[in-house]
Amino acid sequence: MLYPFLQPLGWLLCKLLFRIQVSGREKIPKEGGLLVVCNHASYLDPVVLGAAFPRPLYFFAKSELFENRLFGWLISRLHAFPVRLEGLDKDAIERAIQELRKGRILVVYPEGTRSRDGRLQRGQAGAGFFAVKAGVPVIPVYLRGSFEALPPGRGMIRPGKISVHVGKPMFFPPPESLPAGGSASQKGWRQAYYQGIADRMMAALQEIKNLTE
């Protein structure tokens, strides 16, 4: 019950500190599972997204953040659940799929980690794999200004303008067929397919970025 209490408080703080503005909110479905793919340049990003979205959001969070029991308890009540960044964390993926099947919204950062310079990085194939596995609409969301407010390596927040731009839904079907030639070629083909989806995610974010400059 902590999320419904803190969400409006987060919106108020974002208004006061960052003069937050949201465009494209009408593109967010009112119900049903949804995957949000977003650029990632600051620890503020989950807070801003949670404040801006009219529906509750669920997040992956690296497992190290849960080592502190108090902080882990807090973020778990704010709909974060742990994921191991090394390799394929099947437990985290299964948990995420369950949340999506319950009609919830999950946030994924295709870049995998925060950008060190604020610019968009290449998406990871794992994000493409998860988008196919999830089987739900995918909405690109571009955050502008969070890097300037709190970039990696800085400990203090710098108040300034932050805007949230919601793009059009995208759909990524599973591959219909596999090439002949054995498991090795199939694996490489799937990897290329998932990387292509991740590249399309990042292209959508780049397009929104260009339109909002």
Side-chain angles (χ1 to χ4, degrees), residues 3-4 34-36 46 49-50 53 55-61 75-81 95-100 102-109 130:
Y3 192 105
L34 182 68
L35 190 64
V36 169
L49 284 172
F53 264 66
R55 294 171 56 191
L57 301 180
Y58 288 73
F59 299 88
F60 286 116
I75 61 176
S76 66
R77 265 89 188 145
L78 296 176
H79 301 169
F81 51 91
R95 166 71 187 278
I97 296 296
Q98 290 175 4
E99 299 297 348
L100 290 169
K102 293 175 184 177
R104 292 167 177 163
I105 302 179
L106 182 75
V107 176
V108 170
Y109 301 112
F130 185 75

Side-chain angles (χ1 to χ4, degrees), residues 160-182:
K161 185 177 180 180
I162 292 180
S163 55
V164 182
H165 305 273
V166 182
K168 297 178 181 178
M170 303 184 292
F171 300 89
F172 300 112
E176 295 181 355
S177 61
L178 289 171

Side-chain angles (χ1 to χ4, degrees), residues 29-55:
K30 292 182 170 57
E31 59 183 19
L34 182 68
L35 190 64
V36 169
V37 294
C38 183
N39 59 308
H40 193 24
S42 172
Y43 282 137
L44 289 174
D45 296 341
V47 178
V48 173
L49 284 172
F53 264 66
R55 294 171 56 191

Side-chain angles (χ1 to χ4, degrees), residues 65-213:
L65 295 177
F66 293 84
E67 293 175 359
N68 182 302
R69 290 188 177 182
L70 180 59
F71 188 67
W73 176 87
L74 175 62
I75 61 176
S76 66
R77 265 89 188 145
L78 296 176
H79 301 169
F81 51 91
V83 60
R84 297 189 310 273
L85 299 183
E86 302 80 17
L88 185 65
D89 191 336
K90 294 182 179 180
D91 291 338
I93 290 175
E94 183 57 34
R95 166 71 187 278
I97 296 296
Q98 290 175 4
E99 299 297 348
L100 290 169
R101 286 174 178 168
K102 293 175 184 177
R104 292 167 177 163
I105 302 179
L106 182 75
V107 176
V108 170
Y109 301 112
E111 296 160 291
T113 188
R114 290 175 299 157
S115 170
R116 306 304 297 183
D117 58 9
R119 292 182 292 184
L120 294 176
Q121 311 299 306
R122 192 179 190 194
Q124 303 297 310
F129 165 80
F130 185 75
V132 171
K133 183 81 172 176
V136 297
V138 177
I139 285 189
V141 176
Y142 182 75
L143 295 185
R144 179 179 296 280
S146 64
F147 177 81
E148 289 74 15
L150 186 65
R154 185 193 296 167
M156 296 293 292
I157 293 174
R158 177 184 297 169
K161 185 177 180 180
I162 292 180
S163 55
V164 182
H165 305 273
V166 182
K168 297 178 181 178
M170 303 184 292
F171 300 89
F172 300 112
E176 295 181 355
S177 61
L178 289 171
S183 59
S185 62
Q186 291 177 357
K187 183 178 179 181
W189 189 85
R190 284 186 182 274
Q191 180 75 8
Y193 182 79
Y194 297 138
Q195 183 61 60
I197 290 176
D199 291 343
R200 287 170 62 188
M201 292 176 180
M202 298 310 299
L205 292 173
Q206 183 66 55
E207 181 179 1
I208 298 173
K209 178 180 183 292
N210 294 342
L211 290 173
T212 57
E213 288 180 340

